[in-house]
Amino acid sequence: MSQISLTLPDGNVRQFPRGVTPAEVAAAIAPSLGKAAISATVDGRHYDLQWPIEQDATIAIHTMKDEPQALELIRHDFAHVMARAVQTLWPEVKVTIGPVVDNGWYYDFDRAEPFTPEDLGAIEREMKAIINRRDPVRTEVWDRARAIAHYVARNEPFKVELVEAIPEGEPIRMYWHGDWQDLCRGPHLQHTGQLPADAFRLMSVAGAYWRGDHRNRQLQRIYGVAFRNRDDLKAYLTMIEEAARRDHRRLGREMELFHLQEEAPGMVFWHPNGWTVWRTLEDYMRRRLRAAGYREIRTPQVVDRILWERSGHWEAYRENMFIVEVDEEGAKEKRINALKPMNCPCHVQVYNQGLKSYRDLPLRLAEFGSCHRYESSGSMHGLMRVRGFTQDDAHIFCTEDQIEGECADFISLLSSVYRDLGFAKFDIRLSTRPEVRIGSDETWDKVEGALRGAIERLGLPYAIAPGDGAFYGPKLDFKLTDAIGREWQCGTFQVDPNLPARLGAEYVGEDGAKHRPYMLHRAILGSFERFIGILIENYAGRLPFWLAPRQVVVASIVSDADSYVCEIVDRLKAAGLRAEADTRNEKINYKVREHSLAKVPVLLAIGQQEVAARTVSLRRLGDSHTQSLILDLAVASLASEAVPPDLA
């Protein structure tokens, strides 16, 4: 039998028979490793221990200590075990797909009756019984005809469709968990007993269309979470409870910020308090952009399809666009327009007005641009995913040599904004050239090098996502981390030579010839709606004093204090504070509870003693202690706290 060379992580090279499995390699390295092994990475690909290796390769053996690989297998196997449990309890149920997702997995089922919370409990118990049986997991590769015949005989139409969709030449892997079988790419664990029976939980049931198409049959999707041990599961469930406490939809009601309703799905109704937060944030961003050399513009909401066709969005984005048809006077056909789903093509139109010289570059055009995109009803979620939104959008038109400097300046601006808004930590991901792309390798080398150079100039760490760039250019994504450890992808910086070329953008170079500028797409917050939702949840509604919609409420303890309360409010407003009077005939404890629920940062309680002494009794949100201050001192102190960070 011919031999192959396998390079181990320590650099040693060992000879093995062609067709050796990772399980055999692990056992040959050390018997203890053979027992602990769960999978392998072979030439960068996650491998099942049972798969044969047919060529020279690098190999790393994984155990349960290797978190990314262990979690992938645990969650993948739990999906299979759950599907097996469902079909054990209800044999008539049809199975479809069950991929791994963040923190767990889901599996879609075709069942006439809806799953109930009691059903989820029964499924969990059956899953634990399957784990305790320690059934072996095995795999075989079948040909297409055999796999289709197998699923036809078992009356599994969804699996038949999946097999038919597998590209020619790709292996069709069949996996067994005990006597239960499923179609799967793998890899998997070696027996069900390797699953941590105390580290999973079935979370919820939701509707889902087969293959995500609303024209297809609606299925039931069961979500589960799983971790390597019980402590990790407990920490996750605690985080979920905290996230529920911080849910921006509930806090939005309590703080009277916004609401959504069926008559305008995915569109936000901003209330006075919420609009105050919006405008305060917008004013802050406008000042930051102006100081950074951006020029603010405004472009139309409704644009003729001709522009979207020229930009390429009509072909690639048509199904997500809201179409507006107009009967133009004297026209034979209706004019087809679309609400803009993004601002980029319109910004090129502004750039194209008038001849540009290399001396005009870089040109930074910013817009708080309102956009509309069709999102399916099942995907919308409060402020986090909507159909109508506003971006803190900007596009920089520049030369190739200016890309690195513009990128570095942008990252510095983004870092400062995130710090001001309370997010000290963020991660950067550089997405590099995909296999299918335009432009020469030399150009890609320069542009990717410019983005790397900008990050490294600032001394920041970053990760690389090979092949994840757009077909026309690389990009940076910025993920910030909130108070409970969740990551949110908000900022972006993308290099684009394609759109300027499609829409005829040019500049006259130093050589007197015409050149195409690069277009740098960039955003810091992303959408205002989503970012405000993130802010609400990050602070659990207790927004920074400068950003809070109602900064101070002055509440009377007795009616004799009402006139002094009004005087204090007038003084606070004159100092630039958002202040309100509460002179209702209610007990002060009731007022404290109500305004605490509404997350008002400061409450000034005024009774006869405060009136006589010309003082205030100051209580901060979440603090049971009060502080007595002279009125002038209180106004001056609160006014200094209310200054936005960029003006402080």
Side-chain angles (χ1 to χ4, degrees), residues 13 90 107 156 169 289 331 335 355 371 420-421 435 445 463 512 539 557 577 592 598 604 614 640 644:
V13 179
W90 301 281
Y107 211 113
E156 291 283 8
L289 292 175
R335 184 167 183 172
L355 187 64
C371 299
D420 283 352
L421 296 174
E435 288 187 14
D445 288 342
Y539 287 106
I557 299 174
L577 290 150
V592 169
L604 303 182
R614 300 284 295 175
S640 67

Side-chain angles (χ1 to χ4, degrees), residues 102-120:
D102 289 347
N103 301 308
W105 76 93
Y106 70 77
Y107 211 113
D108 290 346
F109 300 97
D110 184 17
R111 185 191 184 209
E113 297 296 321
F115 288 108
T116 66
E118 291 74 23
D119 290 339
L120 295 188

Side-chain angles (χ1 to χ4, degrees), residues 256-257 270-282 549:
E256 298 180 352
L257 300 178
W270 290 100
H271 298 197
N273 286 343
W275 193 241
T276 297
V277 175
W278 178 297
R279 289 300 301 271
T280 304
L281 182 61
E282 183 182 62

Side-chain angles (χ1 to χ4, degrees), residues 56-232:
D56 295 347
T58 60
I59 185 170
I61 304 297
H62 303 302
T63 69
M64 282 294 184
K65 293 180 180 179
D66 298 315
E67 182 171 324
Q69 294 83 7
L71 284 175
E72 180 185 344
L73 265 64
I74 286 169
R75 290 162 180 169
H76 206 164
D77 276 70
F78 265 122
H80 281 227
V81 168
M82 183 179 76
R84 176 181 173 184
V86 168
Q87 288 198 311
T88 300
L89 295 169
W90 301 281
E92 75 284 359
V93 172
K94 308 301 179 192
V95 293
T96 63
I97 57 172
V100 172
V101 294
D102 289 347
N103 301 308
W105 76 93
Y106 70 77
Y107 211 113
D108 290 346
F109 300 97
D110 184 17
R111 185 191 184 209
E113 297 296 321
F115 288 108
T116 66
E118 291 74 23
D119 290 339
L120 295 188
I123 296 168
E124 282 190 354
R125 290 189 292 273
E126 182 61 29
M127 290 172 68
K128 290 180 179 179
I130 293 170
I131 293 169
N132 290 335
R133 283 199 285 271
R134 301 176 65 83
D135 286 335
V137 177
R138 63 187 178 89
T139 179
E140 294 180 6
V141 177
W142 286 9
D143 62 47
R144 188 179 307 272
R146 183 184 179 189
I148 290 174
H150 173 78
Y151 284 121
V152 168
R154 293 183 55 162
N155 191 24
E156 291 283 8
F158 300 101
K159 293 297 183 183
V160 172
E161 189 175 331
L162 289 172
V163 172
E164 291 175 339
I166 295 175
E168 291 290 341
E170 188 173 316
I172 298 174
R173 297 193 182 276
M174 311 293 271
Y175 271 90
W176 280 262
H177 278 65
D179 58 0
W180 185 86
Q181 184 276 331
D182 201 0
L183 171 73
C184 187
R185 288 191 177 94
H188 281 279
L189 295 168
Q190 300 306 292
H191 62 81
T192 61
Q194 289 179 299
L195 288 171
D198 59 352
F200 81 97
R201 178 75 58 84
L202 300 188
M203 302 296 289
S204 62
V205 181
Y209 292 107
W210 170 235
R211 292 191 156 184
D213 190 333
H214 69 279
R215 294 166 294 188
N216 290 339
R217 186 170 179 81
Q218 187 167 27
L219 308 170
Q220 294 186 68
R221 175 172 295 178
I222 299 179
Y223 287 93
V225 296
F227 298 87
R228 291 185 300 166
N229 54 61
R230 181 174 58 186
D231 289 343
D232 287 350

